[in-house]
Amino acid sequence: MAPVADRSPDLSSKNPDWWRQAVIYQVYPRSFADADGDGLGDLRGITQRLSHVAGLGADALWLSPFYPSELADGGYDVADHRDVDPRLGTLDDFDALVGEAHRLGLKVVVDIVPNHTSHLHPWFQEALRSAPGSPARGRYVFRPGRGVHGELPPSDWQSVFGGSAWKRVPDGEWYLHLFAPEQPDLNWDNEEVRADFRSTLRFWSDRGVDGFRIDVAHGLAKDLTEPLRDIGDLGATGEAALPHVPPGSHPYWDRDEVHEIYRDWRKILDAYSPPRTAVAEAWVPGARRALYARPDELDQAFNFEYLETGWDAEELRQVITDSLATARAAGASATWVLSNHDVVRHASRLMLPPGTDPAAWLLSGGTAPAIDTGAGLRRARAATLLMLALPGSSYLYQGEELGLPEVADLPAAVLQDPIWEQTGHVRKGRDGCRVPLPWTRSGPSYGFGRGAAWLPQPASFASYAVEAQTGAEGSTLELYRTALRLRRKLLEGETLTWTPDAPAGVLDFTRSDTWRCVTNLTADPVRLPPGEVLLASTPLDGNANLPPDTTVWLA
């Protein structure tokens, strides 16, 4: 392969736009590395393994919540937004992690969880001790119940995790929890709530954090006018109804008022040099998603349409085209993601037949239908090279660089996700993508820690381990390392041009007239276009054809 001219984007600390085409690596702290041997991943474990992330070629590290939590929702039930869970370390450990990340050239992005707190948060505990109508209860959404004796919930709003979104307290009032009962929703009409999160943004920014991922960014503003408006036929969680209701009018998702909050946050983020970046987790249609990434709000918003699109060339092409247009309209760059801590890993998900419900597949233990893990890995590698060739930022989830499949057969006795219990064992939850990483071929937790991990790892993890793949020609880990290194040299501009005469079932586009990405999503080989092969997701063996489920980069 001939040398490629280095057009590496400026990702230095002085560049305010470092995020526009960065590769951000997501760490789920409890499942990354365990330094103290208690079976739970921790901050010192992450720090010790940061060279893996830097060596992979990532530009930034995104940390899922590491705050004090009883783990009612995997750390997203936060008892203190400005501290570290003692089981995961201390603020000194966090400072050491940031220092080491910056030494290695990695930016640090942290999760902010503004929609709710833990029920153990001092504010909520004070609210429970206080009377109805008190200022302490005003920080949350408390309401009297309906019915003769207030025995019915204030509205028919439903929890994302199943069942009513309201829980009654001993004095008869009800509080709102759009997620687990241990996660009471904050009242963002309350100025004290707003002021506290301004302090939280400054607290972590002052400690050197480069950016924030905003959890449930579309859920903060709610229509709390009395009487509360029922959802009716809008759907169980309401999000599914968003495309079918007037924009901004849902009782608690994606309301127009939420943007006032982010315009306020932008002033804080811009007060730093360089400005801190932010990305919204907003499960909303594309046109509405662009609003969160406007210049006076957050920099980016996650593109979940891409994640939810199956292995179909025409569907992917349309989503890619629409996503680039949406980002361009907001003055932002597009975001691409295939896996994260909330979804079935794409090495398994992309093999599910069209129309298959991933939740039902998980409930079957991954047997209905059975998945060919080898074929799944082949498709996942092709999907990864396709994603990395797209203009914008790529978000990688820990373990996907190892080709990890979903651990779908976790026994019920070990499940930790509250979804399992709240849905009455109808939905298995997200534990299968959170199983701790394998670092070595052997050991009680394959190098994750000195003892067993908090979720059991299958024996097959030995062959996926970092140790097993490092230096191994053709391994998925080495493919990622090569792709990220090459991507940084090839990046130029934020546009692509589709090849007009591409065969059916093939995605074919050129980036800045200098390199080309071709993905064969069909079941048969197709003719390989002319050009020098820079990288392929599977070996081409000198053949003039591009095999099925394969992506190639051409000069």
Side-chain angles (χ1 to χ4, degrees):
M1 185 177 76
V4 175
D6 191 344
R7 292 185 292 273
S8 301
D10 178 13
L11 297 169
S12 72
S13 61
K14 297 179 181 179
N15 176 25
D17 293 331
W18 65 267
W19 47 270
R20 292 192 69 92
Q21 295 209 71
V23 172
I24 297 95
Y25 183 98
Q26 181 191 359
V27 165
Y28 189 73
R30 291 165 175 81
S31 298
F32 191 69
D34 170 22
D36 61 13
D38 66 354
L40 198 66
D42 45 47
L43 297 187
R44 287 196 293 119
I46 297 171
T47 303
Q48 292 171 5
R49 296 289 191 179
L50 279 179
S51 59
H52 169 75
V53 182
L56 190 66
D59 303 306
L61 177 79
W62 157 27
L63 294 174
S64 290
F66 50 84
Y67 311 112
S69 170
E70 68 170 344
L71 304 183
D73 181 22
Y76 283 87
D77 47 315
V78 179
D80 186 340
H81 291 83
R82 297 194 288 274
D83 204 353
V84 174
D85 191 307
R87 292 165 294 182
L88 274 65
T90 65
L91 283 171
D92 286 342
D93 292 329
F94 179 82
D95 293 340
L97 188 159
V98 172
E100 178 64 5
H102 286 167
R103 187 188 71 81
L104 292 170
L106 293 167
K107 305 288 187 183
V108 178
V109 174
V110 301
D111 244 304
I112 291 292
V113 187
N115 181 69
H116 46 259
T117 71
S118 165
H119 67 140
L120 300 180
H121 192 287
W123 275 4
F124 193 71
Q125 290 298 304
E126 181 186 0
L128 292 179
R129 296 190 301 268
S130 302
S134 63
R137 290 205 174 180
R139 300 176 184 130
Y140 294 89
V141 183
F142 277 86
R143 289 292 185 275
R146 297 187 293 191
V148 176
H149 304 291
E151 72 279 10
L152 300 176
S155 72
D156 68 353
W157 298 0
Q158 296 289 295
S159 163
V160 172
F161 292 162
S164 174
W166 296 96
K167 182 175 176 63
R168 202 175 191 190
V169 299
D171 62 25
E173 278 209 318
W174 299 71
Y175 70 86
L176 178 68
H177 61 89
L178 291 181
F179 294 87
E182 297 87 353
Q183 295 169 288
D185 277 52
L186 288 163
N187 175 15
W188 276 85
D189 289 341
N190 185 295
E191 178 53 34
E192 193 174 357
V193 170
R194 296 189 178 216
D196 191 70
F197 273 90
R198 293 185 195 108
S199 296
T200 295
L201 292 173
R202 294 187 182 101
F203 179 87
W204 295 112
S205 295
D206 289 345
R207 299 192 94 91
V209 163
D210 302 285
F212 301 92
R213 178 262 191 186
I214 315 303
D215 185 63
V216 196
H218 62 309
L220 277 56
K222 299 169 177 73
D223 182 2
L224 299 178
T225 54
E226 297 288 353
L228 295 179
R229 184 158 49 104
D230 280 346
I231 295 174
D233 297 327
L234 294 184
T237 68
E239 286 174 321
L242 285 175
H244 310 294
V245 300
S249 68
H250 191 279
Y252 51 84
W253 292 135
D254 189 38
R255 294 190 60 78
D256 290 335
E257 303 95 296
V258 78
H259 298 288
E260 174 192 346
I261 297 168
Y262 300 129
R263 282 190 287 271
D264 181 49
W265 285 16
R266 184 75 261 167
K267 298 172 186 175
I268 296 171
L269 301 176
D270 282 349
Y272 290 85
S273 181
R276 296 334 190 209
T277 188
V279 57
E281 182 209 28
W283 292 83
V284 299
R288 294 289 295 181
R289 187 175 69 242
L291 303 180
Y292 293 82
R294 288 178 291 191
D296 63 342
E297 294 191 35
L298 309 175
D299 293 307
Q300 293 180 317
F302 278 128
N303 177 3
F304 294 114
E305 284 101 332
Y306 183 73
L307 183 151
E308 293 175 331
T309 302
W311 194 240
D312 180 271
E314 286 308 309
E315 291 180 13
L316 280 168
R317 175 173 173 150
Q318 190 62 55
V319 167
I320 291 168
T321 300
D322 292 347
S323 299
L324 290 172
T326 296
R328 187 164 52 248
S333 62
T335 63
W336 313 103
V337 59
L338 289 166
S339 287
N340 64 33
H341 64 291
D342 281 335
V343 300
V344 172
R345 286 186 176 275
H346 68 278
S348 298
R349 188 185 71 253
L350 290 177
M351 290 304 297
L352 296 177
T356 303
D357 180 3
W361 176 77
L362 281 176
L363 199 61
S364 76
T367 62
I371 282 179
D372 181 337
T373 56
L377 179 58
R378 179 187 182 95
R379 187 168 287 183
R381 288 163 59 109
T384 294
L385 280 199
L386 168 62
M387 178 184 73
L388 291 173
L390 296 172
S393 297
S394 295
Y395 286 78
L396 310 181
Y397 178 52
Q398 64 177 42
E400 69 171 82
E401 77 276 18
L402 306 178
L404 292 183
E406 184 80 2
V407 183
D409 59 353
L410 288 170
V414 306
L415 297 179
Q416 305 287 324
D417 194 332
I419 290 177
W420 175 242
E421 294 296 338
Q422 275 200 239
T423 61
H425 302 174
V426 172
R427 290 168 56 197
K428 198 169 185 180
R430 300 158 293 180
D431 291 314
C433 66
R434 299 176 179 183
V435 175
L437 296 190
W439 294 92
T440 60
R441 293 186 179 92
S442 59
S445 57
Y446 302 104
F448 170 71
R450 296 192 297 272
W454 68 282
L455 281 172
Q457 303 151 298
S460 61
F461 266 30
S463 63
Y464 290 100
V466 174
E467 179 185 55
Q469 296 195 48
T470 295
E473 185 176 355
S475 73
T476 301
L477 177 57
E478 294 300 342
L479 174 69
Y480 269 72
R481 287 171 172 165
T482 301
L484 266 60
R485 183 170 60 249
L486 186 57
R487 177 185 183 276
R488 185 173 288 187
K489 293 180 178 180
L490 291 169
L491 285 182
E492 185 174 291
E494 294 184 19
T495 61
L496 61 76
T497 302
W498 294 105
T499 300
D501 56 351
V506 174
L507 290 175
D508 185 347
F509 60 84
T510 301
R511 288 288 306 274
S512 303
D513 297 324
T514 58
W515 61 297
R516 186 172 179 179
C517 176
V518 186
T519 303
N520 180 9
L521 293 89
T522 73
D524 301 305
V526 297
R527 187 71 177 174
L528 187 67
E532 178 193 357
V533 174
L534 300 176
L535 187 63
S537 60
T538 55
L540 300 181
D541 299 324
N543 199 310
N545 290 327
L546 184 63
D549 292 340
T550 301
T551 296
V552 64
W553 292 358
L554 301 167

